[in-house]
Amino acid sequence: MIPRHPHRTEDCRAVSDILQRVGDKWTVLVVGKLGDGSMRFNELRHAIGGISQKMLTTTVRGLERDGFVTRTVFPTIPPRVEYELTDLGRELLVPVYALGEWARLNQRRVAEARMKFDAAVE
Amino acid sequence: MIPRHPHRTEDCRAVSDILQRVGDKWTVLVVGKLGDGSMRFNELRHAIGGISQKMLTTTVRGLERDGFVTRTVFPTIPPRVEYELTDLGRELLVPVYALGEWARLNQRRVAEARMKFDAAVE
DNA sequence: AGCGCGAGTATCCAATGGATACCAGTTTTC
DNA sequence: GAAAACTGGTATCCATTGGATACTCGCGCT
């Protein structure tokens, strides 16, 4: 099944870093939505649903910082801000989707294990 | 209004869930180490390095709960507790390694984007 | 004058992350 | 014979983060 990798701790750290980067509550949702094309702030907000302004701001700012999205301000009245994935962002989507696919397929197994464990602890 | 997005939000949530599950500071390190074979508590602790007892306990307990590792207690003196990946855990490693590989290859690009951003904000 | 829009800050409180100290039983060391 | 150390853990505490709510700012509408 699994090719046996040499597990260098430093490499694991890199994995850990990127996973932490991407592993918060909103990041993948934002990146996923932006995968469909560029979006404005509130458009994104409504598309995701349940995210507060502050969290969306922090999330997109972080993604911009790491080079995953671009932020373009049109100085119109009222202001208009477009967010779009960069090439790096789109490339990131590939492994993220692979993990997502795994998650989708194995959701049930995890849920079952969890129920079993919680029942045993009781 | 009808969402025009091919990315169903519920699927993105599943991705987000599993990423949050796996996206904390220690989980991938633990799973990565266990990828080499079963390990005892302190063995794991030293192999990882820098993790506190409490965090290792919480991490492995969480992984056990979700069915990614098994925990076997040998009632010897002194006690001996072995942790080992389940099939589910080993399967999870596949997409996680894919993401890890991406992370390893693109570390530099992210770091550069970050430096550029920080310099611009300044 | 007052309201609302768009894209944010500012403020505050709750939840979490994580370091440190402590527990229990046995064996080793001084 | 007392102290320490090994095993795998809790318990406690504080700093950081997550996130809801309220406010800002420039403007156009009524």
Side-chain angles (χ1 to χ4, degrees), chain B residues 40-42 53 61 71 79 81 83:
Chain B
R40 302 181 60 176
F41 188 85
N42 277 343
Q53 282 189 330
R61 204 66 85 244
R71 176 173 178 273
V81 181
Y83 293 93

Side-chain angles (χ1 to χ4, degrees), chain A residues 67-100:
Chain A
F68 295 126
V69 309
T70 54
R71 176 173 177 274
T72 316
V73 182
F74 300 89
T76 56
I77 299 298
R80 170 192 170 88
V81 181
E82 290 270 351
Y83 292 94
E84 186 167 16
L85 287 186
T86 60
D87 288 343
L88 191 63
R90 267 184 293 273
E91 287 169 32
L92 173 63
L93 274 178
V94 177
V96 165
Y97 277 157
L99 186 55

